Amino acid sequence: MTTAPARTEPGPTDIRGRVAELGALRIQASAGPSERATETQHAKGKLTARERIELLLDQGSFQEVEQLRRHRATGFGLETRRPYTDGVVTGWGTVDGRTVFVYAHDFRIFGGALGEAHAEKIHKIMDMALAAGAPLVSLNDGAGARIQEGVSALAGYGGIFQRNTRASGVIPQISVMLGPCAGGAAYSPALTDFVFMVRDTSQMFITGPDVVKAVTGEEISQNGLGGADAHAETSGVAHFAYDDEESCLAEVRYLISLLPSNNRENPPSCPADDPADRRGEVLLDLVPADGNRPYDMHRVVEELVDDGEYLEVHERWAPNIICALARLDGEAVGIVANQPLSMAGVLDIKASEKAARFVQMCDAFNIPLVTLVDVPGFLPGVDQEHGGIIRHGAKLLYAYCNATVPRISLILRKAYGGAYIVMDSQSIGADLTYAWPTNEIAVMGAEGAANVVFRRQIARADDPEAMRERMVKEYRTELMHPYYAAERGLVDDVVDPVETREVLIRSLKMLRAKYAELPSRKHGNPPQ
């Protein structure tokens, strides 16, 4: 690794000489340690820190901070290896003309490991992002703490975590995993709003495969333990996973376009070519009236939002619920929807956690919520009960009850039991609740309800099955017809499915200036 030579004689004394010297130092700092190090990085299928920043930010907008910073550590040969930037590139630029702060680990320098100077650069850019009220993106590709600097490196991580927490809900924080992230370093991404990963080249874990094998005897690869697919499908740590860095960073830009710069602003509007009053005739055929027949809720979302475009969060984790960012008439919205194609759309532990975090994020950043309901209940089972479905389901309930952004719920078909209440029902504070003529709002399905309510009549009947069918029909007719909830004021209106998009847009426009005040308190104590 090359480094700046120690100065043994005075440099230039005239201004032009000094400027030339500065230019040479900048070239050296920008180029990195060596061509060989760059080639090694590229051979791994990875871009350099500056190449990544160029893809993320608008062309020519990056303004670097502390490019000439070098560490002051000694021992273990560090005093002879003092490269500029100290392995992290920090600064700000723009995405679609809006200010965004960024720091990017440079794996070519000390493997991107964090030392004292390295950490102080990150601390500074995090403080600047919070003070400026602008999003912060971290491009992570580092080998953890710089062992040669000992506890000073660990303290540097503590400062990052403290700032992650202080900025939570104030500015959007996005972590992009583009290389290894092990040990305590993994907690910073976990504290941020969104985590992106790239397949094959990025990994996150607290203890690596070697330690796992030594302690438990289990053998597993790095990607199997903490790769993009593992975290996108199994752990839920990663919100997004992509095949390459270029598509990953393009999606980061798209996400930023849907978010406000900070919690004091609304998300940016975008001119809409899709007519607000566009009728959704295909919805009549997309959703079967028979509540036992599945359908793809993604197609409903596509039909409702502008140009059919949306960004799904946690697409492959807990697929029985959909969480997505989209636009309605050019305004950003968060969509939460049950997915009948997966587990019939029931709420379970993972789905409750996924939706709760998404609702909290939308509420923090002034993004209105639209909830599409088709839920048969909570998933029954010993594993779910012992796993804490009560407290995990309560997380979603708490998130909705605590949210002050505009909230609209639309009941497409089933809305049974406690799951109906939890999915942003009117009783927990939804501003407007609509339903399609196919809705069934009830304590439980007609078959189960009839078995409980009319069990004696069924048991005494000469033909129990015929009596059961009769009682099911009677219960459905009396208590589950599509206008029962509307008659009691629990649904604001029953709408024609083809008019849903127009109804949602008009309602959100009315609610845009909504003001809601929470009780004075330090913070709540949500279920964990």
Side-chain angles (χ1 to χ4, degrees):
M1 179 182 296
T2 61
T3 187
R7 184 168 292 153
T8 58
E9 58 184 37
T13 57
D14 64 299
I15 187 63
R16 287 179 176 80
R18 292 290 188 183
V19 169
E21 180 185 46
L22 173 62
L25 292 177
R26 292 205 183 283
I27 290 172
Q28 180 182 344
S30 298
S34 68
E35 278 296 321
R36 182 178 178 183
T38 301
E39 290 170 2
T40 301
Q41 181 81 348
H42 288 164
K44 297 176 182 176
K46 296 161 61 175
L47 300 175
T48 66
R50 295 182 188 280
E51 289 169 341
R52 291 163 174 167
I53 290 173
E54 287 176 5
L55 285 175
L56 173 67
L57 300 178
D58 296 338
Q59 186 175 3
S61 69
F62 183 56
Q63 176 65 52
E64 191 167 352
V65 176
E66 294 195 349
Q67 183 185 44
L68 302 181
R69 185 73 180 264
R70 298 195 291 175
H71 72 76
R72 297 173 293 180
T74 58
F76 305 102
L78 286 178
E79 61 274 11
T80 63
R81 301 171 63 199
R82 300 181 61 223
Y84 290 114
T85 75
D86 199 45
V88 63
V89 181
T90 61
W92 75 87
T94 59
V95 172
D96 296 327
R98 300 166 60 214
T99 299
V100 171
F101 287 80
V102 61
Y103 67 86
H105 298 129
D106 190 340
F107 195 82
R108 300 172 301 168
I109 298 175
F110 297 123
L114 182 138
E116 183 178 19
H118 181 119
E120 288 175 353
K121 287 183 65 174
I122 295 176
H123 296 168
K124 180 170 184 174
I125 212 66
M126 294 179 78
D127 290 341
M128 291 175 69
L130 189 58
L136 174 70
V137 179
S138 62
L139 305 179
N140 297 271
D141 185 8
R146 196 175 298 170
I147 298 172
Q148 300 95 319
E149 294 195 32
V151 73
S152 297
L154 295 179
Y157 276 123
I160 293 173
F161 304 156
Q162 193 267 345
R163 287 166 172 82
N164 283 139
T165 304
R166 190 169 60 191
S168 180
V170 181
I171 57 172
Q173 298 181 85
I174 301 171
S175 297
V176 188
M177 314 311 297
L178 301 167
C181 183
Y187 282 112
S188 177
L191 290 169
T192 60
D193 300 300
F194 299 97
V195 176
F196 288 73
M197 294 189 73
V198 175
R199 293 184 181 92
D200 298 327
T201 58
S202 64
Q203 301 88 29
M204 295 173 65
F205 36 70
I206 299 301
T207 54
D210 293 341
V211 176
V212 169
K213 181 179 180 181
V215 175
T216 69
E218 299 170 290
E219 291 193 28
I220 191 168
S221 66
Q222 287 197 349
N223 281 322
L225 181 64
D229 290 327
H231 285 311
E233 295 178 8
T234 306
S235 72
V237 170
H239 300 80
F240 307 95
Y242 298 95
D243 290 330
D244 56 77
E245 296 190 15
E246 290 83 358
S247 58
C248 178
L249 293 169
E251 288 298 281
V252 174
R253 287 178 59 91
Y254 180 42
L255 172 61
I256 291 172
S257 75
L258 293 164
L259 301 174
S261 293
N262 57 66
N263 65 341
R264 301 183 300 278
E265 299 179 4
N266 290 323
S269 299
C270 180
D273 296 326
D274 198 348
D277 59 355
R278 171 173 56 78
R279 293 171 64 82
E281 300 289 347
V282 299
L283 292 172
L284 296 174
D285 299 316
L286 278 180
V287 182
D290 181 357
N292 294 320
R293 289 179 58 194
Y295 62 93
D296 190 353
M297 185 66 82
H298 288 110
R299 297 189 63 192
V300 177
V301 175
E302 289 171 7
E303 184 62 26
L304 294 176
V305 303
D306 292 356
D307 304 311
E309 294 182 357
Y310 61 92
L311 179 63
E312 187 170 355
V313 179
H314 271 143
E315 178 181 2
R316 295 160 61 199
W317 185 63
N320 43 319
I321 200 159
I322 296 169
C323 297
L325 292 168
R327 292 189 183 276
L328 282 169
D329 198 29
E331 302 292 339
V333 294
I335 296 174
V336 180
N338 306 110
Q339 171 58 296
L341 274 187
S342 178
M343 300 169 61
V346 297
L347 288 177
D348 63 352
I349 289 173
K350 291 181 179 179
S352 298
E353 287 190 336
K354 170 180 169 177
R357 179 70 189 274
F358 182 77
V359 169
Q360 288 176 169
M361 184 280 298
C362 289
D363 186 52
F365 294 116
N366 307 314
I367 301 172
L369 287 160
V370 173
T371 304
L372 306 179
V373 184
D374 190 349
V375 61
F378 282 95
L379 181 65
V382 175
D383 288 345
Q384 289 290 306
E385 295 295 343
H386 287 183
I389 185 63
I390 294 173
R391 61 186 174 85
H392 290 290
K395 293 178 183 178
L396 180 54
L397 183 62
Y398 187 99
Y400 269 126
C401 290
N402 201 49
T404 61
V405 292
R407 292 156 49 191
I408 299 174
S409 64
L410 171 67
I411 301 162
L412 281 65
R413 292 196 311 187
K414 301 182 297 296
Y416 293 163
Y420 152 65
I421 300 295
V422 169
M423 288 295 293
D424 205 19
S425 64
Q426 189 179 99
S427 60
I428 65 169
D431 297 296
L432 288 167
T433 304
Y434 297 114
W436 282 0
T438 48
N439 81 82
E440 292 182 356
I441 306 173
V443 175
M444 63 178 69
E447 291 79 6
N451 287 336
V452 173
V453 176
F454 305 113
R455 64 183 183 278
R456 289 191 177 89
Q457 293 95 313
I458 294 171
R460 291 196 300 262
D462 294 334
D463 187 345
E465 279 305 313
M467 176 61 74
R468 179 179 289 107
E469 289 181 13
R470 177 185 165 191
M471 293 297 100
V472 167
K473 183 177 180 180
E474 180 178 330
Y475 184 87
R476 182 174 282 118
T477 301
E478 291 294 323
L479 297 177
M480 294 181 65
H481 64 80
Y483 308 106
Y484 185 85
E487 291 170 0
R488 284 151 182 79
L490 297 175
V491 166
D492 292 295
D493 198 8
V494 179
V495 301
D496 183 342
V498 303
E499 298 175 351
T500 302
R501 173 176 163 84
E502 182 180 4
V503 169
L504 292 175
I505 288 172
R506 283 194 276 110
S507 301
L508 288 169
K509 186 175 182 180
M510 179 275 294
L511 289 167
R512 197 168 297 157
K514 173 187 174 182
Y515 174 77
E517 189 169 327
L518 291 171
S520 176
R521 60 185 176 188
K522 187 174 182 180
H523 57 73
N525 187 24
Q528 297 296 324

